[in-house]
Amino acid sequence: MLIPLTPEILLRAYAAGIFPMAETADDPELFWVDPKRRGIIPLDSFHVPRRLRRIVRQNPFTIRCDTAFEGVMRGCAESSDKRPNTWINDEILELYAGLFERGAAHSVECWHEGELVGGLYGVSLGAAFFGESMFSRVTDASKVALVHLVARLRLGGYRLLTPHLAQFGAIEISRARYHRLLAEALNYRAGFPRDLPGGGVGTAGAAGGGGSDPLAGLQASRLTS
């Protein structure tokens, strides 16, 4: 008899270093993934390319957190010319919505003129944040969301971030090292701040977003985005 996958089982899987995927959005089956190599972004050396730094300071989007979690997931599940198939099926949508309801998943959203134009979502456990997917309907929206995510993770005391984006200083590590870093991060309890302290760059003043310059304390990079 198959045991149905629940949000609680999903969290235990993340704590063990594995996560589920589907072959395509239309495939109802899920499988577990435990890669031999893992990409992480060290939070203390997050690099922001100079062009993106300028874009963030121009403040082109209203940034909100946790106001459209399902909308972000569905944006990530959309097919495109660059990504004709995604791994987010209906069961993934339901499971991660359950994590969000429990406060164990979060979204960072970019809004423009009242429309959701990009963002990302991920799972929060202990002091680890597992970035799941991101999307953009306008240029650079997902990258701006990532800058805001890192600012919040640093503020909230997180120690591990998993998405693999080389231009932001990501590194690839072995499965064994990843499991050691994960075990250490799970010994701590971080908090996901929806807002950054103060006021200024980073928001158009919408509820659930807001805050000061998300670039404060983040390293500039000469890498192109």
Side-chain angles (χ1 to χ4, degrees):
M1 178 179 178
L2 292 177
I3 300 175
L5 187 55
T6 65
E8 291 75 17
I9 293 174
L10 188 54
L11 285 179
R12 291 200 292 271
Y14 273 98
I18 62 177
F19 56 91
M21 292 183 67
E23 287 289 351
T24 68
D26 296 327
D27 189 341
E29 300 294 328
L30 299 180
F31 59 93
W32 293 108
V33 181
D34 185 13
K36 292 182 179 180
R37 306 288 295 178
R38 298 294 292 256
I40 66 168
I41 295 179
L43 290 169
D44 59 355
S45 59
F46 180 72
H47 294 283
V48 182
R50 288 186 175 182
R51 187 184 72 83
L52 179 59
R53 184 173 285 262
R54 290 195 299 270
I55 291 169
V56 172
R57 291 198 184 280
Q58 290 168 3
N59 193 23
F61 308 115
T62 297
I63 305 299
R64 302 176 183 169
C65 294
D66 293 347
T67 69
F69 183 84
E70 184 175 340
V72 170
M73 283 202 71
R74 292 192 179 279
C76 293
E78 291 174 352
S79 60
S80 66
D81 292 339
K82 294 183 179 180
R83 187 175 61 179
N85 294 309
T86 72
W87 53 271
I88 302 172
N89 64 8
D90 288 342
E91 185 172 6
I92 291 286
L93 284 164
E94 183 177 351
L95 284 168
Y96 286 80
L99 291 182
F100 175 71
E101 292 174 358
R102 290 160 173 78
H106 300 281
S107 61
V108 179
E109 309 143 16
C110 291
W111 295 78
H112 181 67
E113 297 181 351
E115 297 291 330
L116 179 64
V117 296
L120 57 82
Y121 76 97
V123 175
S124 176
L125 186 62
F129 192 90
F130 309 90
E132 288 304 307
S133 189
M134 57 176 58
F135 80 103
S136 291
R137 293 182 179 133
V138 300
T139 302
D140 294 321
S142 62
K143 295 177 182 179
V144 171
L146 180 62
V147 172
H148 280 267
L149 171 68
V150 171
R152 283 159 173 77
L153 297 184
R154 287 166 60 102
L155 178 64
Y158 285 82
R159 291 170 173 258
L160 181 65
L161 173 60
T162 62
H164 190 121
L165 293 167
Q167 68 265 42
F168 296 101
I171 61 174
E172 191 175 78
I173 61 176
S174 67
R175 177 192 292 160
R177 184 182 175 196
Y178 173 75
H179 282 198
R180 289 195 297 270
L181 292 174
L182 175 59
E184 180 182 355
L186 294 179
N187 286 328
Y188 297 85
R189 183 171 182 176
F192 187 87
R194 295 178 66 197
D195 303 318
L196 299 178
V201 175
T203 180
S212 61
D213 185 354
L215 295 169
L218 299 183
Q219 297 186 32
S221 171
R222 295 183 180 179
L223 297 174
T224 58
S225 59

